[in-house]
Amino acid sequence: MNAIPKPAADLLQQADQLSASVTRPIPGSRKIFVEGSSPDIRVPMREIALTQTPTIFGGEENAPVTVYDCSGPYTDPDARIDLSAGLPPLRARWIEARGDTEQLPALSSEFGRSRETNGKLDAVRFPGRTLPRRAKAGANVSQMHYARRGIVTPEMEFVAIRENQRLDAVRDAGLLAQHRGESFGASIQKVITPEFVRDEIARGRAILPNNINHPESEPMIIGRNFLTKINANIGNSAVSSGIAEEVEKLVWAIRWGGDTVMDLSTGKHIHETREWIIRNSPVPIGTVPIYQALEKVDGRAEELTWEIFRDTLVEQAEQGVDYFTIHAGVLLRHVPLTAKRVTGIVSRGGSIMAKWCLAHHRENFLYTHFEDICEIMKAYDVAFSLGDGLRPGCIADANDAAQFGELEALGELTKIAWKHDVQCMIEGPGHVPMQLIKENMDKQLAECGEAPFYTLGPLTTDIAPGYDHITSAIGAAMIGWYGTAMLCYVTPKEHLGLPNREDVRDGIMAYKIAAHAADLAKGHPGAQVRDNALSKARFEFRWEDQFHLGLDPEKAKEFHDETLPKDAHKLAHFCSMCGPHFCSMKITQDVRDYAAEHGVDEAQALQAGMAEKSAEFRELGAEVYRPG
Amino acid sequence: MNAIPKPAADLLQQADQLSASVTRPIPGSRKIFVEGSSPDIRVPMREIALTQTPTIFGGEENAPVTVYDCSGPYTDPDARIDLSAGLPPLRARWIEARGDTEQLPALSSEFGRSRETNGKLDAVRFPGRTLPRRAKAGANVSQMHYARRGIVTPEMEFVAIRENQRLDAVRDAGLLAQHRGESFGASIQKVITPEFVRDEIARGRAILPNNINHPESEPMIIGRNFLTKINANIGNSAVSSGIAEEVEKLVWAIRWGGDTVMDLSTGKHIHETREWIIRNSPVPIGTVPIYQALEKVDGRAEELTWEIFRDTLVEQAEQGVDYFTIHAGVLLRHVPLTAKRVTGIVSRGGSIMAKWCLAHHRENFLYTHFEDICEIMKAYDVAFSLGDGLRPGCIADANDAAQFGELEALGELTKIAWKHDVQCMIEGPGHVPMQLIKENMDKQLAECGEAPFYTLGPLTTDIAPGYDHITSAIGAAMIGWYGTAMLCYVTPKEHLGLPNREDVRDGIMAYKIAAHAADLAKGHPGAQVRDNALSKARFEFRWEDQFHLGLDPEKAKEFHDETLPKDAHKLAHFCSMCGPHFCSMKITQDVRDYAAEHGVDEAQALQAGMAEKSAEFRELGAEVYRPG
């Protein structure tokens, strides 16, 4: 009679501890914290220790490399993880100290209250929930509001330290050499100061998504003058996974580098799943509230109302969702523009709103109620992610009148959000061939006043189902270079099914690559440090260092070991491509030794042909070349 | 006593038949042949049959889509494959008919002869070898030579038909609509005529690699005004695979779309392996002859001589190698320029020649003997692939003086090759951050007179070992768009080990994507046909058609079936991401139906708000929306 329903049983099984596979330490590195102006500003980073250069290559010490870390306490061996308690609320004191919020006596949303009092949900409900906070009457608690009043919040300072990635240490070690970037008019800084963070947020060029009801989050920033970020989507659906699996997916996604995670669940415990995810998430969580609102009307888009949607926004804002995708730019007049498309409207949110508009012959209620939505956003500091409900779903539909018409509407809405001091980013396509990508970026910058752009890929061709993490990583790297602030990942399962754990990893890796390639191309200071360190390790046959510096140390080692499984080989002076008798890197070292011995100038004089040195070098070379 | 040595036994085991996994038909398609001006010009293509559009979406027939096919007879169920006999010599009659070649009485190379008479090699030797052909004294048998004399060869006509991919049929079906391309000054044609092929070859802007001793090859062309091609590398090394495995790898690589294959073997049966590969290859085969020459001097680069190298060129030319990578641009004066690099010289060929130059204090013998090499090339029609021995091996070393110094030398050598009417392409990097890629292309076009560029990636960051098919597909797509004619693939194992079969498939897929994305962006006529057909199939829930139109139908189906394994679901009117109760594509169809019923103009008038239609639509919509 009192048997726990199946998903609840699954969840409880997992609630005590996560699989070791998602929490095991990342090889070769340790979690460090850089302290800010007060001891409770402790910014997590990952430090990769490097070994000494082998004597044959010079024998020098190699300074450790610090990298951005969004994996939270899960990769910290000192942290005690208890999913049922959630993560420590590291921002709680900052929020309280501002004195502009209050803890509510009860949940404000009707739906939230109904879930609280439903005994059938006891087994799946997150146990340690406290009551939410909200801005005091008339207050605006958005980071943008503080920024515009000249206040540098602890969150902004945290972000500044985080973005710098200990560049000072790198600069001191003389490792900052890199190619000149092309930033297409971005305002790339040599050092990120808290004041610069404040200014960018105040101008609307960056957002710092962190709902006051998600005090567990480690502040991060999204804007084109900061490091390019990536988002990973998780979420079950009617045909797929349960709650427990989603929490593990979150931890898995941030382990590999998801800067934010969107919970796109549409299943039956959507409210409870979200609670577990937020309470255990050190990264901002985004959602698409219209998905849940649609479930509340049993899937009948035409029955959606502002009241149902409003209640959903409040419900989610009080759980701590950090940004909402809101498809307020899908206007009645845009809908018929999609009729001749090859793939019509592919955004779920966009099609819901299109259906509603047609059914009622009225303007999108998200548009007509946009200022009402702003009032909710600023009471909890939820950021807008203005949805691209009319994004192209195929190459043929790229950059068409429907897409650009919506983008213009989003520009208009951005200005309204800013009028309310509400943080705002803009979602973008989708499927776009390479030659049309830049037009998207340029138009977004122009229409939306440099508000951060957040794109899904874009996919640069439609013909590779099963490989769309790659078709889209190409477009993502390019649009990131042109100025997109955050890239929403695409997994190999895109268009085919729901991603499993390995698909999530593959998708994240493709997008970490795209984001980093963009940072390199834009010329972010220090962006090349990790490339340089890894390449130096590669040249010097420091295999373990090469693995550890890579985005995925485990995969790199696994691949290497397939060909040369013995440990000894990882120190061998040949690499696995050339075999033991021939190695181009070894020959290069001969060249380098020679140039060092004779001086580069003298070496350059070689072209005059100094035959008398020939015998000497040949002897030396023949010796060094075949160490075996 | 007479026991067959291990590799030979492996080979013989496989010689009778290939694994079914590499020859099974490609799902949903059939091999077709388009006939040219004579019945022996039969150009293979792959025709993908499509099903009818479901009634709910209009019920129309969908014309089949024809795609480029480089898989050779292996995917032709009518072909009888006998690896020991090799493929039919489809070009033999054309070569003989020109009357400018003669069959030799014996192999010309010393090494070749020594292998023929070595009884120990009987077991691994390709059994069906006939004696090679060579140009008659004083004759030049290169396609460039014919082209410059105004001759349109059957090979050129074959290529023209192949490049067009039955565009006429597509044009008749009205499926040619596509976005305007940006070709950066390329000369993109609406229709490829044999005369255009001739002219491009004559001008040196394209090469048609097909050694007269490789009559089994199906002609293809490499040039920026044609479809972007990809190359796949195969090859064993001292620590890895044997002969049999290499032949299977060839068949596997062309199955997925390798346009040419480079055999980079360095093992002990290098000569015999190559013979098996060429005799069974319908695509051009490239090699790096210096690798074998180095083995002949037991790995001591300083002991290489022009005579040993020359004998190797002749040996391989008489086997039928279609293009040779020759590192003739690594000049003595360039070598010291690499001393300060992070990763020095990473090209094996480049480092061999650098070592030789330093050991002898003399100019690279490939450079000093370049005209002698041209004489060999034109006697067999081997094309140059001028090697980039000083390509950057990391982001830090991109676009440096060594790399660009060599590129300038390659430009000089291109003109010498052209003076001899020898076909020539130019190899390029390597590792290059996005903002520096275009400079590579522009400089190559300027220095090398628009000779085809053939690049390895480039990788756009160094930090993702294990995922370098992706880091490099980004660079490959971009440089392909800018004008690179052929992209040399990179597998996930790059820098870590030798690729296995799945790595080869992954590498090829990443590069087919990059090449196609480039064709789309350049605006090749018809490039978007497959995207459009696939997207239409996707919109209409024609799952099988979607799989079949994809680059990898097997993977697409496998991924889909993981989430929704039942056959019935492939016809279901919902997709696997949204589940049965909600589907955005279904909603889009409602929009389309509405627009069709009311006319788009009337639909656009919706914004005026015609409330009287509301009830009608809501009823229709609510009905259609939930078919289950």
Side-chain angles (χ1 to χ4, degrees), chain A residues 136-181:
Chain A
K136 289 179 178 165
N140 181 336
V141 299
S142 82
Q143 293 287 322
M144 187 178 211
H145 187 66
Y146 303 136
R148 287 182 164 183
R149 288 188 302 164
I151 298 168
V152 174
T153 62
E155 287 88 342
M156 296 174 198
E157 186 188 338
F158 188 108
V159 155
I161 295 169
R162 197 171 196 184
E163 288 285 319
N164 282 326
Q165 292 183 89
R166 289 170 100 200
L167 265 191
D168 287 346
V170 172
R171 191 175 292 111
D172 293 346
L175 295 173
L176 268 192
Q178 67 184 52
H179 295 288
R180 187 191 173 85

Side-chain angles (χ1 to χ4, degrees), chain A residues 48 87 137 153 241 247 282 345 421 427 434 455 460 467 474 578 603:
Chain A
I48 304 169
L87 297 178
T153 62
S241 60
V247 177
I345 301 176
D421 294 353
E427 296 184 10
M434 286 192 286
T455 63
T460 53
Y467 299 87
I474 294 167
C578 303

Side-chain angles (χ1 to χ4, degrees), chain A residues 179-180 239 294 299-300 302 332-333 335-339 341-348 351-352 355 358-361 394-396 398 434-436 460-467 471 474 477-478 481 492-493 495-498 500 505 509 513 516-518 520-521 528 530-532 534-536 538-539 543 547 550-552 555-556 559-560 562-563 576-578 580 582 584 587-588 590-592 594-595 603-604 606-607 610 613-614 617-618 621-622 625-626, chain B residues 179-180 239 294 298-300 302 332-333 335-339 341-348 351-352 355 358-361 394-396 398 434-436 460-467 471 474 477-478 481 492-493 495-498 500 509 513 516-518 520-521 528 530-532 534-536 538-539 543 550-552 555-556 559-560 562-563 576-578 580 582 584 587-588 590-592 594-595 603-604 606-607 609-610 613-614 617-618 621-622 625-626:
Chain A
H179 295 288
R180 187 191 173 85
V239 291
L294 187 70
R300 296 183 188 88
E302 62 278 18
L332 191 54
R333 67 176 181 270
V335 177
L337 300 176
T338 67
R341 280 179 159 186
V342 172
T343 54
I345 301 176
V346 294
S347 149
R348 283 194 277 175
S351 47
I352 293 165
K355 183 163 184 79
L358 291 190
H360 295 276
H361 289 246
C394 65
I395 292 295
M434 286 192 286
Q435 83 277 23
L436 301 187
T460 53
T461 165
D462 304 333
I463 69 167
Y467 299 87
T471 63
I474 294 167
M478 293 174 70
W481 175 25
K493 289 275 170 59
H495 300 116
L496 297 171
L498 289 167
N500 62 24
R505 181 182 184 175
M509 283 300 145
I513 288 166
H516 184 71
L520 281 176
Q528 206 179 298
R530 192 170 178 180
D531 295 75
N532 295 348
L534 191 146
S535 296
K536 184 169 186 289
R538 182 173 280 160
F539 179 76
W543 284 104
F547 304 153
L551 287 177
D552 186 343
K555 178 84 80 184
F559 277 4
H560 177 268
E562 276 180 33
T563 305
S576 55
M577 284 77 71
C578 303
F582 175 77
S584 54
I587 292 176
T588 300
D590 295 349
V591 175
R592 191 175 288 189
Y594 184 83
Q604 279 172 325
L606 278 171
Q607 56 190 310
M610 294 168 290
K613 288 192 179 159
S614 173
F617 180 82
R618 196 180 309 175
Y625 172 56
R626 305 193 70 207
Chain B
H179 294 289
R180 187 191 173 85
V239 290
L294 186 71
D298 202 21
R300 296 183 187 86
E302 62 278 18
L332 192 52
R333 67 175 180 270
V335 175
L337 300 177
T338 66
R341 280 179 160 187
V342 172
T343 54
I345 302 176
V346 294
S347 149
R348 283 194 278 175
S351 47
I352 294 166
K355 181 159 185 83
L358 291 190
H360 295 276
H361 288 248
C394 64
I395 292 296
M434 285 192 286
Q435 84 276 25
L436 302 186
T460 53
T461 166
D462 303 334
I463 68 167
Y467 300 87
T471 64
I474 294 167
M478 292 173 71
W481 175 24
K493 289 275 169 60
H495 299 117
L496 297 171
L498 290 167
N500 62 23
M509 283 301 145
I513 289 166
H516 184 70
L520 281 177
Q528 205 180 300
R530 192 171 179 180
D531 296 75
N532 295 349
L534 190 146
S535 296
K536 184 169 187 288
R538 181 173 281 160
F539 179 76
W543 284 104
L551 287 177
D552 186 343
K555 178 85 80 187
F559 277 4
H560 178 267
E562 277 181 32
T563 305
S576 55
M577 284 77 71
C578 305
F582 174 75
S584 54
I587 292 175
T588 300
D590 294 349
V591 174
R592 192 175 289 190
Y594 185 83
Q604 278 171 325
L606 277 171
Q607 55 187 309
M610 293 167 291
K613 288 190 180 161
S614 174
F617 179 83
R618 196 181 310 176
Y625 171 58
R626 306 192 68 205

Side-chain angles (χ1 to χ4, degrees), chain B residues 542-613:
Chain B
R542 290 184 281 122
W543 284 104
E544 296 285 353
D545 287 354
Q546 186 190 157
F547 304 153
H548 297 160
L549 285 161
L551 287 177
D552 186 343
E554 293 169 1
K555 178 85 80 187
K557 185 171 187 309
E558 176 194 323
F559 277 4
H560 178 267
D561 289 356
E562 277 181 32
T563 305
L564 285 179
K566 297 190 208 78
D567 260 5
H569 278 125
K570 280 190 274 303
L571 290 172
H573 284 167
F574 59 87
C575 66
S576 55
M577 284 77 71
C578 305
H581 291 296
F582 174 75
C583 178
S584 54
M585 289 209 184
K586 190 65 205 61
I587 292 175
T588 300
Q589 187 56 31
D590 294 349
V591 174
R592 192 175 289 190
D593 291 346
Y594 185 83
E597 191 182 328
H598 297 265
V600 172
D601 290 342
E602 189 181 343
Q604 278 171 325
L606 277 171
Q607 55 187 309
M610 293 167 291
E612 67 281 8
K613 288 190 180 161

Side-chain angles (χ1 to χ4, degrees), chain B residues 91 95 101-102 104 106-109 129 132-136 139-143 146 209-214 310 313-322 324 373-383 422-423:
Chain B
R91 298 194 304 116
I95 294 163
T101 59
E102 57 193 0
L104 297 172
L107 297 182
S108 312
S109 84
R129 183 65 173 120
R133 302 187 78 83
R134 189 174 64 192
K136 289 178 178 166
N140 181 335
V141 300
S142 83
Q143 293 286 323
Y146 304 136
N210 61 166
N211 187 323
I212 55 169
N213 289 311
H214 187 196
R310 186 189 184 290
L313 290 186
V314 172
E315 171 204 341
Q316 297 196 12
E318 294 192 351
Q319 288 188 298
V321 173
D322 300 288
F324 287 150
I373 300 173
C374 290
E375 295 298 335
I376 298 168
M377 306 299 255
K378 65 194 184 193
Y380 303 95
D381 196 9
V382 184
V422 170
Q423 304 192 88

